[in-house]
Amino acid sequence: MRPHGVMFHHFNSEVHLPGQGSISADALRAMIEQLGPGRILPASEFLSRHVRGTLAADDLCLTFDDALRCQFDVALPVLREFDLTAFWFVYTSVLQGQIEPLEIYRHFRMNCFPNVNAFYRAFEETVERSEHADLAAMLMEEFNPRAYLAGFPFYTDEDRRFRFLRDEVLGPARYHAVMERLIDEKEFDVNAAARGLWMDDGCVRELHAAGHVIGLHTHTHPTRVEHLSADDQRSEYYENYAYLKNLLDERPVTMSHPCNSYNATTLEILSELGITLGFRANMASGFGGALEFPREDHANLVRRMTLAA
Ligand SMILES: [Zn+2]
């Protein structure tokens, strides 16, 4: 095995309601106990061992993607209990007050539907009533749940079908149009939902001051970076870099790939920026580069802990 990260996204508490894939402070505590707090390196130690070439095969680090407020509120106090620091991969448009659809859509799914499959059904029905119905029907014939996103074992067939429809059939512009229509129909208040979803500049500064390592994650979090032109990829990462460098008065040297999406151009751009350590979003083998460290999704750890219990 290669030294790797554990990847976290959503946490729940009384303030941050539970949702798909979210875990509580207690679950995080149990997970850290099971991994072995002594085996988990402080983020800066993982980075400096990487730079010196002294990382051992079973070295581990913790990583938090997407600048989520629930991570700051729920996970950070648990890390403090264990005296641990982590990598935080921050997309920066939300620090400027922009509302990015990614989290809004998740919040919408959780609040307006009894479960995620009910949302998937409503979404597909909205596509079927749209001008993209014929295209979607044609392309969905190619969909094979066993082959699509095979590196993510915890996705259900319904998750795969939705992701295929979103990313391969519709693409970002048409997907957003369909979602806007659905959100309007449900009279969901986007501005109200946006409050409390993301960290602000102060949170990121506080993490940095406490010894955590802050890294890149693009500016606006596209779900398919690999589909962007070289220019668009460059502006995503340069803008992200400039914002964090200015905020923290330090050059970022780490990153993670949003939705595990990148190509050779992305890696060149990251090298231009002097990024020395990057993380993928799964444990797939065959990627040995310094910008392609594997990460275990916490969902896999939860599954294993449940099986073992
Ligand atoms: Zn992300």
Side-chain angles (χ1 to χ4, degrees), residues 74-98:
V74 183
L76 181 60
V78 177
L79 298 186
R80 277 198 205 107
E81 289 168 24
F82 289 95
D83 203 16
L84 280 171
T85 55
F87 291 98
W88 303 71
F89 299 117
V90 169
Y91 70 105
T92 34
S93 64
V94 292
L95 301 181
Q96 291 176 329
Q98 281 183 52

mmCIF file with all atom_site columns, all heavy atoms in Angstrom, residues 74-98:
data_model
loop_
_atom_site.group_PDB
_atom_site.id
_atom_site.type_symbol
_atom_site.label_atom_id
_atom_site.label_alt_id
_atom_site.label_comp_id
_atom_site.label_asym_id
_atom_site.label_entity_id
_atom_site.label_seq_id
_atom_site.pdbx_PDB_ins_code
_atom_site.Cartn_x
_atom_site.Cartn_y
_atom_site.Cartn_z
_atom_site.occupancy
_atom_site.B_iso_or_equiv
_atom_site.pdbx_formal_charge
_atom_site.auth_seq_id
_atom_site.auth_comp_id
_atom_site.auth_asym_id
_atom_site.auth_atom_id
_atom_site.pdbx_PDB_model_num
ATOM 1   N N   . VAL A 1 74 ? -17.890 20.796 13.481 1.00 0.00 ? 74 VAL A N   1
ATOM 2   C CA  . VAL A 1 74 ? -18.053 19.455 14.066 1.00 0.00 ? 74 VAL A CA  1
ATOM 3   C C   . VAL A 1 74 ? -16.738 18.677 14.124 1.00 0.00 ? 74 VAL A C   1
ATOM 4   O O   . VAL A 1 74 ? -16.425 18.066 15.146 1.00 0.00 ? 74 VAL A O   1
ATOM 5   C CB  . VAL A 1 74 ? -19.118 18.632 13.279 1.00 0.00 ? 74 VAL A CB  1
ATOM 6   C CG1 . VAL A 1 74 ? -19.334 17.264 13.925 1.00 0.00 ? 74 VAL A CG1 1
ATOM 7   C CG2 . VAL A 1 74 ? -20.431 19.409 13.177 1.00 0.00 ? 74 VAL A CG2 1
ATOM 8   N N   . ALA A 1 75 ? -15.958 18.694 13.035 1.00 0.00 ? 75 ALA A N   1
ATOM 9   C CA  . ALA A 1 75 ? -14.750 17.855 12.981 1.00 0.00 ? 75 ALA A CA  1
ATOM 10  C C   . ALA A 1 75 ? -13.569 18.502 13.703 1.00 0.00 ? 75 ALA A C   1
ATOM 11  O O   . ALA A 1 75 ? -12.800 17.812 14.378 1.00 0.00 ? 75 ALA A O   1
ATOM 12  C CB  . ALA A 1 75 ? -14.384 17.554 11.527 1.00 0.00 ? 75 ALA A CB  1
ATOM 13  N N   . LEU A 1 76 ? -13.420 19.803 13.553 1.00 0.00 ? 76 LEU A N   1
ATOM 14  C CA  . LEU A 1 76 ? -12.250 20.467 14.137 1.00 0.00 ? 76 LEU A CA  1
ATOM 15  C C   . LEU A 1 76 ? -12.119 20.244 15.653 1.00 0.00 ? 76 LEU A C   1
ATOM 16  O O   . LEU A 1 76 ? -11.027 19.927 16.130 1.00 0.00 ? 76 LEU A O   1
ATOM 17  C CB  . LEU A 1 76 ? -12.267 21.962 13.774 1.00 0.00 ? 76 LEU A CB  1
ATOM 18  C CG  . LEU A 1 76 ? -11.093 22.787 14.298 1.00 0.00 ? 76 LEU A CG  1
ATOM 19  C CD1 . LEU A 1 76 ? -9.769  22.267 13.761 1.00 0.00 ? 76 LEU A CD1 1
ATOM 20  C CD2 . LEU A 1 76 ? -11.280 24.271 13.937 1.00 0.00 ? 76 LEU A CD2 1
ATOM 21  N N   . PRO A 1 77 ? -13.227 20.376 16.428 1.00 0.00 ? 77 PRO A N   1
ATOM 22  C CA  . PRO A 1 77 ? -13.098 20.110 17.872 1.00 0.00 ? 77 PRO A CA  1
ATOM 23  C C   . PRO A 1 77 ? -12.622 18.685 18.165 1.00 0.00 ? 77 PRO A C   1
ATOM 24  O O   . PRO A 1 77 ? -11.883 18.473 19.140 1.00 0.00 ? 77 PRO A O   1
ATOM 25  C CB  . PRO A 1 77 ? -14.527 20.333 18.405 1.00 0.00 ? 77 PRO A CB  1
ATOM 26  C CG  . PRO A 1 77 ? -15.174 21.235 17.404 1.00 0.00 ? 77 PRO A CG  1
ATOM 27  C CD  . PRO A 1 77 ? -14.577 20.879 16.084 1.00 0.00 ? 77 PRO A CD  1
ATOM 28  N N   . VAL A 1 78 ? -13.021 17.709 17.351 1.00 0.00 ? 78 VAL A N   1
ATOM 29  C CA  . VAL A 1 78 ? -12.574 16.322 17.560 1.00 0.00 ? 78 VAL A CA  1
ATOM 30  C C   . VAL A 1 78 ? -11.075 16.214 17.267 1.00 0.00 ? 78 VAL A C   1
ATOM 31  O O   . VAL A 1 78 ? -10.332 15.566 18.012 1.00 0.00 ? 78 VAL A O   1
ATOM 32  C CB  . VAL A 1 78 ? -13.388 15.342 16.673 1.00 0.00 ? 78 VAL A CB  1
ATOM 33  C CG1 . VAL A 1 78 ? -12.869 13.913 16.835 1.00 0.00 ? 78 VAL A CG1 1
ATOM 34  C CG2 . VAL A 1 78 ? -14.875 15.422 17.013 1.00 0.00 ? 78 VAL A CG2 1
ATOM 35  N N   . LEU A 1 79 ? -10.619 16.864 16.194 1.00 0.00 ? 79 LEU A N   1
ATOM 36  C CA  . LEU A 1 79 ? -9.181  16.850 15.899 1.00 0.00 ? 79 LEU A CA  1
ATOM 37  C C   . LEU A 1 79 ? -8.391  17.442 17.062 1.00 0.00 ? 79 LEU A C   1
ATOM 38  O O   . LEU A 1 79 ? -7.324  16.949 17.430 1.00 0.00 ? 79 LEU A O   1
ATOM 39  C CB  . LEU A 1 79 ? -8.878  17.640 14.622 1.00 0.00 ? 79 LEU A CB  1
ATOM 40  C CG  . LEU A 1 79 ? -9.507  17.130 13.319 1.00 0.00 ? 79 LEU A CG  1
ATOM 41  C CD1 . LEU A 1 79 ? -8.993  17.940 12.131 1.00 0.00 ? 79 LEU A CD1 1
ATOM 42  C CD2 . LEU A 1 79 ? -9.225  15.654 13.113 1.00 0.00 ? 79 LEU A CD2 1
ATOM 43  N N   . ARG A 1 80 ? -8.950  18.507 17.649 1.00 0.00 ? 80 ARG A N   1
ATOM 44  C CA  . ARG A 1 80 ? -8.279  19.140 18.798 1.00 0.00 ? 80 ARG A CA  1
ATOM 45  C C   . ARG A 1 80 ? -8.128  18.157 19.955 1.00 0.00 ? 80 ARG A C   1
ATOM 46  O O   . ARG A 1 80 ? -7.091  18.113 20.605 1.00 0.00 ? 80 ARG A O   1
ATOM 47  C CB  . ARG A 1 80 ? -9.076  20.363 19.276 1.00 0.00 ? 80 ARG A CB  1
ATOM 48  C CG  . ARG A 1 80 ? -8.771  21.601 18.468 1.00 0.00 ? 80 ARG A CG  1
ATOM 49  C CD  . ARG A 1 80 ? -9.222  22.866 19.232 1.00 0.00 ? 80 ARG A CD  1
ATOM 50  N NE  . ARG A 1 80 ? -9.483  23.933 18.297 1.00 0.00 ? 80 ARG A NE  1
ATOM 51  C CZ  . ARG A 1 80 ? -10.695 24.383 17.969 1.00 0.00 ? 80 ARG A CZ  1
ATOM 52  N NH1 . ARG A 1 80 ? -11.766 23.881 18.540 1.00 0.00 ? 80 ARG A NH1 1
ATOM 53  N NH2 . ARG A 1 80 ? -10.826 25.360 17.095 1.00 0.00 ? 80 ARG A NH2 1
ATOM 54  N N   . GLU A 1 81 ? -9.177  17.357 20.211 1.00 0.00 ? 81 GLU A N   1
ATOM 55  C CA  . GLU A 1 81 ? -9.111  16.370 21.303 1.00 0.00 ? 81 GLU A CA  1
ATOM 56  C C   . GLU A 1 81 ? -7.921  15.435 21.120 1.00 0.00 ? 81 GLU A C   1
ATOM 57  O O   . GLU A 1 81 ? -7.294  15.009 22.081 1.00 0.00 ? 81 GLU A O   1
ATOM 58  C CB  . GLU A 1 81 ? -10.375 15.498 21.325 1.00 0.00 ? 81 GLU A CB  1
ATOM 59  C CG  . GLU A 1 81 ? -11.633 16.197 21.772 1.00 0.00 ? 81 GLU A CG  1
ATOM 60  C CD  . GLU A 1 81 ? -12.880 15.342 21.491 1.00 0.00 ? 81 GLU A CD  1
ATOM 61  O OE1 . GLU A 1 81 ? -12.758 14.099 21.394 1.00 0.00 ? 81 GLU A OE1 1
ATOM 62  O OE2 . GLU A 1 81 ? -13.974 15.927 21.355 1.00 0.00 ? 81 GLU A OE2 1
ATOM 63  N N   . PHE A 1 82 ? -7.645  15.064 19.850 1.00 0.00 ? 82 PHE A N   1
ATOM 64  C CA  . PHE A 1 82 ? -6.555  14.132 19.568 1.00 0.00 ? 82 PHE A CA  1
ATOM 65  C C   . PHE A 1 82 ? -5.245  14.866 19.262 1.00 0.00 ? 82 PHE A C   1
ATOM 66  O O   . PHE A 1 82 ? -4.257  14.231 18.916 1.00 0.00 ? 82 PHE A O   1
ATOM 67  C CB  . PHE A 1 82 ? -6.919  13.245 18.372 1.00 0.00 ? 82 PHE A CB  1
ATOM 68  C CG  . PHE A 1 82 ? -7.986  12.224 18.657 1.00 0.00 ? 82 PHE A CG  1
ATOM 69  C CD1 . PHE A 1 82 ? -9.323  12.486 18.364 1.00 0.00 ? 82 PHE A CD1 1
ATOM 70  C CD2 . PHE A 1 82 ? -7.662  11.007 19.237 1.00 0.00 ? 82 PHE A CD2 1
ATOM 71  C CE1 . PHE A 1 82 ? -10.305 11.552 18.618 1.00 0.00 ? 82 PHE A CE1 1
ATOM 72  C CE2 . PHE A 1 82 ? -8.644  10.058 19.493 1.00 0.00 ? 82 PHE A CE2 1
ATOM 73  C CZ  . PHE A 1 82 ? -9.971  10.335 19.190 1.00 0.00 ? 82 PHE A CZ  1
ATOM 74  N N   . ASP A 1 83 ? -5.283  16.189 19.335 1.00 0.00 ? 83 ASP A N   1
ATOM 75  C CA  . ASP A 1 83 ? -4.114  16.987 19.004 1.00 0.00 ? 83 ASP A CA  1
ATOM 76  C C   . ASP A 1 83 ? -3.618  16.681 17.578 1.00 0.00 ? 83 ASP A C   1
ATOM 77  O O   . ASP A 1 83 ? -2.429  16.551 17.332 1.00 0.00 ? 83 ASP A O   1
ATOM 78  C CB  . ASP A 1 83 ? -2.995  16.719 20.026 1.00 0.00 ? 83 ASP A CB  1
ATOM 79  C CG  . ASP A 1 83 ? -2.007  17.864 20.089 1.00 0.00 ? 83 ASP A CG  1
ATOM 80  O OD1 . ASP A 1 83 ? -2.347  18.952 19.586 1.00 0.00 ? 83 ASP A OD1 1
ATOM 81  O OD2 . ASP A 1 83 ? -0.890  17.665 20.610 1.00 0.00 ? 83 ASP A OD2 1
ATOM 82  N N   . LEU A 1 84 ? -4.578  16.551 16.655 1.00 0.00 ? 84 LEU A N   1
ATOM 83  C CA  . LEU A 1 84 ? -4.247  16.225 15.268 1.00 0.00 ? 84 LEU A CA  1
ATOM 84  C C   . LEU A 1 84 ? -4.452  17.435 14.365 1.00 0.00 ? 84 LEU A C   1
ATOM 85  O O   . LEU A 1 84 ? -5.328  18.266 14.621 1.00 0.00 ? 84 LEU A O   1
ATOM 86  C CB  . LEU A 1 84 ? -5.167  15.112 14.763 1.00 0.00 ? 84 LEU A CB  1
ATOM 87  C CG  . LEU A 1 84 ? -4.819  13.678 15.160 1.00 0.00 ? 84 LEU A CG  1
ATOM 88  C CD1 . LEU A 1 84 ? -5.954  12.745 14.758 1.00 0.00 ? 84 LEU A CD1 1
ATOM 89  C CD2 . LEU A 1 84 ? -3.506  13.258 14.497 1.00 0.00 ? 84 LEU A CD2 1
ATOM 90  N N   . THR A 1 85 ? -3.650  17.530 13.315 1.00 0.00 ? 85 THR A N   1
ATOM 91  C CA  . THR A 1 85 ? -3.916  18.522 12.262 1.00 0.00 ? 85 THR A CA  1
ATOM 92  C C   . THR A 1 85 ? -4.153  17.787 10.957 1.00 0.00 ? 85 THR A C   1
ATOM 93  O O   . THR A 1 85 ? -3.775  16.629 10.796 1.00 0.00 ? 85 THR A O   1
ATOM 94  C CB  . THR A 1 85 ? -2.745  19.496 12.089 1.00 0.00 ? 85 THR A CB  1
ATOM 95  O OG1 . THR A 1 85 ? -1.551  18.746 11.853 1.00 0.00 ? 85 THR A OG1 1
ATOM 96  C CG2 . THR A 1 85 ? -2.584  20.377 13.318 1.00 0.00 ? 85 THR A CG2 1
ATOM 97  N N   . ALA A 1 86 ? -4.784  18.479 10.007 1.00 0.00 ? 86 ALA A N   1
ATOM 98  C CA  . ALA A 1 86 ? -5.216  17.847 8.759  1.00 0.00 ? 86 ALA A CA  1
ATOM 99  C C   . ALA A 1 86 ? -4.947  18.763 7.567  1.00 0.00 ? 86 ALA A C   1
ATOM 100 O O   . ALA A 1 86 ? -4.564  19.924 7.729  1.00 0.00 ? 86 ALA A O   1
ATOM 101 C CB  . ALA A 1 86 ? -6.706  17.525 8.840  1.00 0.00 ? 86 ALA A CB  1
ATOM 102 N N   . PHE A 1 87 ? -5.162  18.202 6.375  1.00 0.00 ? 87 PHE A N   1
ATOM 103 C CA  . PHE A 1 87 ? -5.181  19.010 5.147  1.00 0.00 ? 87 PHE A CA  1
ATOM 104 C C   . PHE A 1 87 ? -6.611  19.467 4.904  1.00 0.00 ? 87 PHE A C   1
ATOM 105 O O   . PHE A 1 87 ? -7.557  18.677 5.041  1.00 0.00 ? 87 PHE A O   1
ATOM 106 C CB  . PHE A 1 87 ? -4.738  18.173 3.939  1.00 0.00 ? 87 PHE A CB  1
ATOM 107 C CG  . PHE A 1 87 ? -3.292  17.788 3.960  1.00 0.00 ? 87 PHE A CG  1
ATOM 108 C CD1 . PHE A 1 87 ? -2.894  16.542 4.411  1.00 0.00 ? 87 PHE A CD1 1
ATOM 109 C CD2 . PHE A 1 87 ? -2.320  18.674 3.506  1.00 0.00 ? 87 PHE A CD2 1
ATOM 110 C CE1 . PHE A 1 87 ? -1.553  16.183 4.427  1.00 0.00 ? 87 PHE A CE1 1
ATOM 111 C CE2 . PHE A 1 87 ? -0.975  18.322 3.518  1.00 0.00 ? 87 PHE A CE2 1
ATOM 112 C CZ  . PHE A 1 87 ? -0.591  17.073 3.983  1.00 0.00 ? 87 PHE A CZ  1
ATOM 113 N N   . TRP A 1 88 ? -6.757  20.722 4.535  1.00 0.00 ? 88 TRP A N   1
ATOM 114 C CA  . TRP A 1 88 ? -8.076  21.275 4.196  1.00 0.00 ? 88 TRP A CA  1
ATOM 115 C C   . TRP A 1 88 ? -7.972  21.829 2.778  1.00 0.00 ? 88 TRP A C   1
ATOM 116 O O   . TRP A 1 88 ? -7.212  22.788 2.538  1.00 0.00 ? 88 TRP A O   1
ATOM 117 C CB  . TRP A 1 88 ? -8.474  22.385 5.177  1.00 0.00 ? 88 TRP A CB  1
ATOM 118 C CG  . TRP A 1 88 ? -8.486  21.903 6.609  1.00 0.00 ? 88 TRP A CG  1
ATOM 119 C CD1 . TRP A 1 88 ? -7.393  21.589 7.372  1.00 0.00 ? 88 TRP A CD1 1
ATOM 120 C CD2 . TRP A 1 88 ? -9.630  21.663 7.438  1.00 0.00 ? 88 TRP A CD2 1
ATOM 121 N NE1 . TRP A 1 88 ? -7.793  21.174 8.623  1.00 0.00 ? 88 TRP A NE1 1
ATOM 122 C CE2 . TRP A 1 88 ? -9.152  21.208 8.694  1.00 0.00 ? 88 TRP A CE2 1
ATOM 123 C CE3 . TRP A 1 88 ? -11.013 21.798 7.249  1.00 0.00 ? 88 TRP A CE3 1
ATOM 124 C CZ2 . TRP A 1 88 ? -10.013 20.887 9.752  1.00 0.00 ? 88 TRP A CZ2 1
ATOM 125 C CZ3 . TRP A 1 88 ? -11.861 21.480 8.297  1.00 0.00 ? 88 TRP A CZ3 1
ATOM 126 C CH2 . TRP A 1 88 ? -11.370 21.034 9.530  1.00 0.00 ? 88 TRP A CH2 1
ATOM 127 N N   . PHE A 1 89 ? -8.694  21.216 1.843  1.00 0.00 ? 89 PHE A N   1
ATOM 128 C CA  . PHE A 1 89 ? -8.628  21.633 0.443  1.00 0.00 ? 89 PHE A CA  1
ATOM 129 C C   . PHE A 1 89 ? -9.832  22.512 0.138  1.00 0.00 ? 89 PHE A C   1
ATOM 130 O O   . PHE A 1 89 ? -10.975 22.061 0.183  1.00 0.00 ? 89 PHE A O   1
ATOM 131 C CB  . PHE A 1 89 ? -8.518  20.401 -0.451 1.00 0.00 ? 89 PHE A CB  1
ATOM 132 C CG  . PHE A 1 89 ? -7.274  19.604 -0.144 1.00 0.00 ? 89 PHE A CG  1
ATOM 133 C CD1 . PHE A 1 89 ? -7.339  18.312 0.332  1.00 0.00 ? 89 PHE A CD1 1
ATOM 134 C CD2 . PHE A 1 89 ? -6.025  20.200 -0.294 1.00 0.00 ? 89 PHE A CD2 1
ATOM 135 C CE1 . PHE A 1 89 ? -6.180  17.598 0.648  1.00 0.00 ? 89 PHE A CE1 1
ATOM 136 C CE2 . PHE A 1 89 ? -4.853  19.497 0.023  1.00 0.00 ? 89 PHE A CE2 1
ATOM 137 C CZ  . PHE A 1 89 ? -4.940  18.202 0.486  1.00 0.00 ? 89 PHE A CZ  1
ATOM 138 N N   . VAL A 1 90 ? -9.515  23.771 -0.137 1.00 0.00 ? 90 VAL A N   1
ATOM 139 C CA  . VAL A 1 90 ? -10.514 24.832 -0.088 1.00 0.00 ? 90 VAL A CA  1
ATOM 140 C C   . VAL A 1 90 ? -10.786 25.395 -1.478 1.00 0.00 ? 90 VAL A C   1
ATOM 141 O O   . VAL A 1 90 ? -9.859  25.830 -2.158 1.00 0.00 ? 90 VAL A O   1
ATOM 142 C CB  . VAL A 1 90 ? -9.982  25.952 0.840  1.00 0.00 ? 90 VAL A CB  1
ATOM 143 C CG1 . VAL A 1 90 ? -10.835 27.199 0.740  1.00 0.00 ? 90 VAL A CG1 1
ATOM 144 C CG2 . VAL A 1 90 ? -9.911  25.459 2.282  1.00 0.00 ? 90 VAL A CG2 1
ATOM 145 N N   . TYR A 1 91 ? -12.044 25.342 -1.913 1.00 0.00 ? 91 TYR A N   1
ATOM 146 C CA  . TYR A 1 91 ? -12.376 26.106 -3.123 1.00 0.00 ? 91 TYR A CA  1
ATOM 147 C C   . TYR A 1 91 ? -12.849 27.483 -2.686 1.00 0.00 ? 91 TYR A C   1
ATOM 148 O O   . TYR A 1 91 ? -13.536 27.619 -1.683 1.00 0.00 ? 91 TYR A O   1
ATOM 149 C CB  . TYR A 1 91 ? -13.327 25.373 -4.060 1.00 0.00 ? 91 TYR A CB  1
ATOM 150 C CG  . TYR A 1 91 ? -14.767 25.156 -3.658 1.00 0.00 ? 91 TYR A CG  1
ATOM 151 C CD1 . TYR A 1 91 ? -15.785 25.912 -4.237 1.00 0.00 ? 91 TYR A CD1 1
ATOM 152 C CD2 . TYR A 1 91 ? -15.126 24.164 -2.748 1.00 0.00 ? 91 TYR A CD2 1
ATOM 153 C CE1 . TYR A 1 91 ? -17.118 25.682 -3.922 1.00 0.00 ? 91 TYR A CE1 1
ATOM 154 C CE2 . TYR A 1 91 ? -16.457 23.934 -2.428 1.00 0.00 ? 91 TYR A CE2 1
ATOM 155 C CZ  . TYR A 1 91 ? -17.438 24.690 -3.014 1.00 0.00 ? 91 TYR A CZ  1
ATOM 156 O OH  . TYR A 1 91 ? -18.755 24.464 -2.703 1.00 0.00 ? 91 TYR A OH  1
ATOM 157 N N   . THR A 1 92 ? -12.418 28.505 -3.423 1.00 0.00 ? 92 THR A N   1
ATOM 158 C CA  . THR A 1 92 ? -12.398 29.842 -2.857 1.00 0.00 ? 92 THR A CA  1
ATOM 159 C C   . THR A 1 92 ? -13.530 30.768 -3.308 1.00 0.00 ? 92 THR A C   1
ATOM 160 O O   . THR A 1 92 ? -13.736 31.810 -2.691 1.00 0.00 ? 92 THR A O   1
ATOM 161 C CB  . THR A 1 92 ? -11.039 30.498 -3.153 1.00 0.00 ? 92 THR A CB  1
ATOM 162 O OG1 . THR A 1 92 ? -10.563 30.063 -4.423 1.00 0.00 ? 92 THR A OG1 1
ATOM 163 C CG2 . THR A 1 92 ? -10.021 30.114 -2.096 1.00 0.00 ? 92 THR A CG2 1
ATOM 164 N N   . SER A 1 93 ? -14.273 30.410 -4.348 1.00 0.00 ? 93 SER A N   1
ATOM 165 C CA  . SER A 1 93 ? -15.360 31.305 -4.771 1.00 0.00 ? 93 SER A CA  1
ATOM 166 C C   . SER A 1 93 ? -16.330 31.539 -3.614 1.00 0.00 ? 93 SER A C   1
ATOM 167 O O   . SER A 1 93 ? -16.856 32.638 -3.453 1.00 0.00 ? 93 SER A O   1
ATOM 168 C CB  . SER A 1 93 ? -16.106 30.719 -5.969 1.00 0.00 ? 93 SER A CB  1
ATOM 169 O OG  . SER A 1 93 ? -16.735 29.511 -5.596 1.00 0.00 ? 93 SER A OG  1
ATOM 170 N N   . VAL A 1 94 ? -16.544 30.503 -2.794 1.00 0.00 ? 94 VAL A N   1
ATOM 171 C CA  . VAL A 1 94 ? -17.508 30.635 -1.690 1.00 0.00 ? 94 VAL A CA  1
ATOM 172 C C   . VAL A 1 94 ? -16.985 31.559 -0.583 1.00 0.00 ? 94 VAL A C   1
ATOM 173 O O   . VAL A 1 94 ? -17.775 32.137 0.163  1.00 0.00 ? 94 VAL A O   1
ATOM 174 C CB  . VAL A 1 94 ? -17.899 29.257 -1.108 1.00 0.00 ? 94 VAL A CB  1
ATOM 175 C CG1 . VAL A 1 94 ? -18.702 28.466 -2.131 1.00 0.00 ? 94 VAL A CG1 1
ATOM 176 C CG2 . VAL A 1 94 ? -16.691 28.458 -0.656 1.00 0.00 ? 94 VAL A CG2 1
ATOM 177 N N   . LEU A 1 95 ? -15.660 31.708 -0.496 1.00 0.00 ? 95 LEU A N   1
ATOM 178 C CA  . LEU A 1 95 ? -15.116 32.656 0.487  1.00 0.00 ? 95 LEU A CA  1
ATOM 179 C C   . LEU A 1 95 ? -15.373 34.089 0.035  1.00 0.00 ? 95 LEU A C   1
ATOM 180 O O   . LEU A 1 95 ? -15.372 35.012 0.849  1.00 0.00 ? 95 LEU A O   1
ATOM 181 C CB  . LEU A 1 95 ? -13.609 32.433 0.682  1.00 0.00 ? 95 LEU A CB  1
ATOM 182 C CG  . LEU A 1 95 ? -13.166 31.048 1.169  1.00 0.00 ? 95 LEU A CG  1
ATOM 183 C CD1 . LEU A 1 95 ? -11.660 31.001 1.345  1.00 0.00 ? 95 LEU A CD1 1
ATOM 184 C CD2 . LEU A 1 95 ? -13.864 30.676 2.465  1.00 0.00 ? 95 LEU A CD2 1
ATOM 185 N N   . GLN A 1 96 ? -15.566 34.256 -1.273 1.00 0.00 ? 96 GLN A N   1
ATOM 186 C CA  . GLN A 1 96 ? -15.896 35.590 -1.802 1.00 0.00 ? 96 GLN A CA  1
ATOM 187 C C   . GLN A 1 96 ? -17.392 35.857 -1.735 1.00 0.00 ? 96 GLN A C   1
ATOM 188 O O   . GLN A 1 96 ? -17.866 36.851 -2.265 1.00 0.00 ? 96 GLN A O   1
ATOM 189 C CB  . GLN A 1 96 ? -15.473 35.686 -3.275 1.00 0.00 ? 96 GLN A CB  1
ATOM 190 C CG  . GLN A 1 96 ? -13.988 35.681 -3.489 1.00 0.00 ? 96 GLN A CG  1
ATOM 191 C CD  . GLN A 1 96 ? -13.632 35.679 -4.960 1.00 0.00 ? 96 GLN A CD  1
ATOM 192 O OE1 . GLN A 1 96 ? -14.364 35.129 -5.780 1.00 0.00 ? 96 GLN A OE1 1
ATOM 193 N NE2 . GLN A 1 96 ? -12.521 36.302 -5.300 1.00 0.00 ? 96 GLN A NE2 1
ATOM 194 N N   . GLY A 1 97 ? -18.133 34.931 -1.148 1.00 0.00 ? 97 GLY A N   1
ATOM 195 C CA  . GLY A 1 97 ? -19.574 35.139 -1.013 1.00 0.00 ? 97 GLY A CA  1
ATOM 196 C C   . GLY A 1 97 ? -20.388 34.605 -2.171 1.00 0.00 ? 97 GLY A C   1
ATOM 197 O O   . GLY A 1 97 ? -21.605 34.780 -2.220 1.00 0.00 ? 97 GLY A O   1
ATOM 198 N N   . GLN A 1 98 ? -19.728 33.938 -3.132 1.00 0.00 ? 98 GLN A N   1
ATOM 199 C CA  . GLN A 1 98 ? -20.507 33.345 -4.216 1.00 0.00 ? 98 GLN A CA  1
ATOM 200 C C   . GLN A 1 98 ? -21.241 32.116 -3.689 1.00 0.00 ? 98 GLN A C   1
ATOM 201 O O   . GLN A 1 98 ? -20.778 31.432 -2.788 1.00 0.00 ? 98 GLN A O   1
ATOM 202 C CB  . GLN A 1 98 ? -19.595 32.922 -5.365 1.00 0.00 ? 98 GLN A CB  1
ATOM 203 C CG  . GLN A 1 98 ? -19.182 34.084 -6.257 1.00 0.00 ? 98 GLN A CG  1
ATOM 204 C CD  . GLN A 1 98 ? -18.344 33.591 -7.423 1.00 0.00 ? 98 GLN A CD  1
ATOM 205 O OE1 . GLN A 1 98 ? -18.737 32.691 -8.137 1.00 0.00 ? 98 GLN A OE1 1
ATOM 206 N NE2 . GLN A 1 98 ? -17.184 34.177 -7.604 1.00 0.00 ? 98 GLN A NE2 1
#
